[in-house]
Amino acid sequence: MNTEKAYAAYLDQQDKLADFRHEFYIPHDTIYFDGNSLGLLSKRAEQAVHDIVESWKTDAIDGWTNDDQPWYYLSEKLGAMTAPLIGAKPDEVIVTGSTTSNLHQLTASFYKPAGKKAKILADTLNFPSDIYALKSQLKLNGFDPAEYLLQVESEDGNTLETQNIINAMTDDVVFIVLPSVLYRSGQVLDMKTLTREAHKRGIPIGFDLCHSIGAMPHQLSEWGVDFAFWCTYKHLNAGPGSVAGLYVNRKHFGQEPGLAGWFSSAKEKQFDMAHVLTPAPDAGTYQIGTPHLLSAAPLLGSLEMFYEAGIDNIRQKSLELTQYLIELLERELTDYSFTIANPRDTATRGGHVNIEHPDAARICKALKADGVIPDYRRPNGIRLAPVALYNTFTDVWDTIQILKTIMIEERYKFFENERGIIA
Ligand SMILES: Cc1ncc(COP(=O)(O)O)c(C=O)c1O
Ligand SMILES: Nc1ccccc1C(=O)C[C@H](N)C(=O)O
């Protein structure tokens, strides 16, 4: 491979998505590789926040029904704008809640224990919040999580084998929740096969798309996935605590949500103020209360960019960036005990690279001190997410050189090898 800096510049010149970078605020003098934790602010997202504040200022209560962007329908509109990113129909998606509250809602709606046939299948590598939510749902139903939550083990500590997950779909399992992409290793699970196998056994299955939405395409409706949920503050760049999303396959329409509230209502019935709920006929029924409009608004700006860029183009550039990062790392840093812990092949490699090193925590601190923003994940992972909409091939090249200098000069030894409060 060509390891010259000029080659990185050449790749940037060829990049069809290069112009989008200019729409983002890049924290100055840094190479931002943490978009898989918090995506950057774009000018369009910022404008969308200004617009809704303006609408509150000038329209007040009439903002709910004003002509250009009625708040009353914003969650549905944003859901429809999100749908192409996950291969769903517009009415199968709603922007609402948080990742974890949406998982609670979907579990309350689709986990249907029948006597002792009541187990939930998850995995040992998922993000803790999902596991906490599943355990609390089991407890609410009177089941001991120690017995009723099955968690598929990883053979190598980083990835999951499709066949092991399928083998765990036993007779007593009635509900399955898995991540689309593992938050640490970035492995993409085979959602299509897992859904087919779950359905052969009559088990509903859903995915946490936090680390895949906005980084790669999905075909949820075509695969028949029952439900999914995600955050919007990572690859979707909608800001810290921005409103999350969920998907429910049309075949489940017409049911009441497990956790109801007045925003679960059919829109035209909601203000009848009846004490009997008329559920919305679509994914909108999984909403509970008044939408958090100020934290949903940024999506209006940021989703537009995904539409313009095209999710297939985003995935292609993302794969090129991660491939370039892996190859440079292997060429330039062979002597420094790094292991690449994410899958290599393009079918199972997500949007970030995870490199392991015994000094990972302090190498991350040294990278930050030198203007590269990664994050550290226990026990020994350095996550680097080169994001298609705002990172460049030159960012990747520079990062490898900075990392090489840190290792040669042992600059990481100035820091404690312990995580900070967040990363
Ligand atoms: C896979 C996954 N699920 C859930 C969460 C968190 O959920 P919430 O957005 O509710 O904080 C994260 C990250 O914060 C995550 O990476
Ligand atoms: N929500 C957050 C709030 C504060 C700090 C980080 C997060 C993250 O999202 C972490 C991310 N889910 C991760 O994959 O590590």
Side-chain angles (χ1 to χ4, degrees):
M1 77 171 292
N2 188 334
T3 56
E4 301 289 312
K5 185 164 188 173
Y7 184 61
Y10 165 79
L11 293 174
D12 286 330
Q13 265 166 22
Q14 305 296 306
D15 174 13
K16 288 186 288 200
L17 302 181
D19 283 347
F20 285 100
R21 175 178 172 84
H22 307 301
E23 300 209 37
F24 285 89
Y25 293 98
I26 314 278
H28 56 261
D29 291 338
T30 59
I31 297 174
Y32 193 80
F33 275 173
D34 209 5
N36 59 333
S37 192
L38 179 67
L40 293 180
L41 174 65
S42 65
K43 290 171 189 164
R44 292 198 222 190
E46 182 184 41
Q47 185 60 48
V49 175
H50 285 153
D51 291 347
I52 198 155
V53 169
E54 196 55 34
S55 162
W56 176 21
K57 195 191 289 177
T58 56
D59 301 336
I61 190 68
D62 289 339
W64 289 104
T65 48
N66 70 15
D67 286 342
D68 50 325
Q69 204 64 265
W71 305 339
Y72 192 50
Y73 301 101
L74 190 65
S75 311
E76 286 76 9
K77 175 173 175 168
L78 291 171
M81 286 172 76
T82 309
L85 298 181
I86 57 170
K89 315 265 179 349
D91 57 356
E92 289 177 321
V93 185
I94 190 82
V95 163
T96 189
S98 70
T99 320
T100 314
S101 71
N102 288 343
L103 174 56
H104 273 292
Q105 168 67 293
L106 293 161
T107 309
S109 303
F110 296 108
Y111 168 57
K112 306 224 164 105
K116 289 251 159 210
K117 221 169 128 43
K119 289 191 177 159
I120 295 180
L121 177 61
D123 67 280
T124 47
L125 299 181
N126 202 347
F127 198 77
S129 202
D130 292 16
I131 301 302
Y132 302 161
L134 294 174
K135 286 185 179 174
S136 57
Q137 288 286 333
L138 280 167
K139 285 190 238 167
L140 283 169
N141 279 280
F143 296 110
D144 178 3
E147 193 184 340
Y148 284 87
L149 180 66
L150 303 180
Q151 290 184 262
V152 180
E153 297 282 344
S154 164
E155 287 175 13
D156 61 2
N158 280 318
T159 56
L160 296 167
E161 294 290 330
T162 307
Q163 194 53 50
N164 290 349
I165 303 175
I166 296 169
N167 293 346
M169 296 178 185
T170 46
D171 272 355
D172 43 5
V173 171
V174 292
F175 187 72
I176 305 176
V177 176
L178 294 164
S180 53
V181 167
L182 300 185
Y183 79 100
R184 239 189 317 232
S185 70
Q187 180 195 8
V188 187
L189 296 191
D190 183 349
M191 288 176 264
K192 183 178 179 185
T193 303
L194 292 167
T195 302
R196 192 186 62 222
E197 293 299 321
H199 288 172
K200 271 191 202 161
R201 296 158 178 79
I203 314 171
I205 182 166
F207 294 92
D208 176 338
L209 309 185
C210 277
H211 288 270
S212 61
I213 192 159
M216 64 189 64
H218 310 66
Q219 300 303 333
L220 298 192
S221 299
E222 189 189 312
W223 300 333
V225 171
D226 294 281
F227 63 89
F229 54 99
W230 55 87
C231 68
T232 56
Y233 48 72
K234 301 181 191 292
H235 293 278
L236 295 185
N237 310 314
S242 51
V243 181
L246 64 82
Y247 148 93
V248 170
N249 192 290
R250 291 181 80 109
K251 67 187 168 202
H252 298 298
F253 285 3
Q255 291 186 30
E256 270 204 32
L259 306 177
W262 73 318
F263 269 81
S264 317
S265 302
K267 287 287 193 219
E268 68 287 2
K269 291 282 186 191
Q270 184 170 339
F271 280 80
D272 286 354
M273 304 296 190
H275 279 194
V276 175
L277 171 71
T278 305
D282 48 28
T285 200
Y286 297 94
Q287 298 174 88
I288 300 176
T290 309
H292 303 172
L293 291 160
L294 300 188
S295 338
L299 272 174
L300 275 170
S302 60
L303 286 173
E304 229 178 66
M305 298 167 81
F306 285 85
Y307 176 72
E308 285 170 26
I311 192 67
D312 292 320
N313 296 328
I314 288 173
R315 173 63 167 157
Q316 191 189 332
K317 178 174 169 191
S318 161
L319 284 171
E320 287 167 7
L321 285 165
T322 49
Q323 184 65 28
Y324 188 51
L325 178 51
I326 292 168
E327 284 177 14
L328 281 179
L329 190 92
E330 285 182 328
R331 287 291 287 260
E332 302 280 308
L333 284 142
T334 29
D335 300 336
Y336 297 99
S337 322
F338 285 104
T339 327
I340 291 166
N342 53 279
R344 307 293 180 98
D345 71 288
T346 55
T348 55
R349 183 168 86 236
H352 64 267
V353 168
N354 183 39
I355 54 179
E356 290 182 336
H357 192 283
D359 288 304
R362 53 181 171 172
I363 292 172
C364 275
K365 291 178 190 169
L367 280 167
K368 271 191 145 167
D370 282 352
V372 176
I373 317 295
D375 64 21
Y376 164 71
R377 284 293 172 261
R378 292 192 68 229
N380 57 352
I382 302 169
R383 292 190 310 183
L384 296 164
V387 171
L389 284 180
Y390 52 76
N391 285 121
T392 62
F393 291 89
T394 302
D395 283 345
V396 172
W397 193 91
D398 286 340
T399 296
I400 294 297
Q401 295 311 311
I402 291 167
L403 182 56
K404 195 170 169 182
T405 309
I406 288 170
M407 300 315 290
I408 292 171
E409 296 178 3
E410 299 190 335
R411 300 235 292 265
Y412 58 90
K413 292 198 171 160
F414 296 128
F415 302 89
E416 293 283 315
N417 196 29
E418 279 166 13
R419 73 166 167 83
I421 190 79
I422 284 180

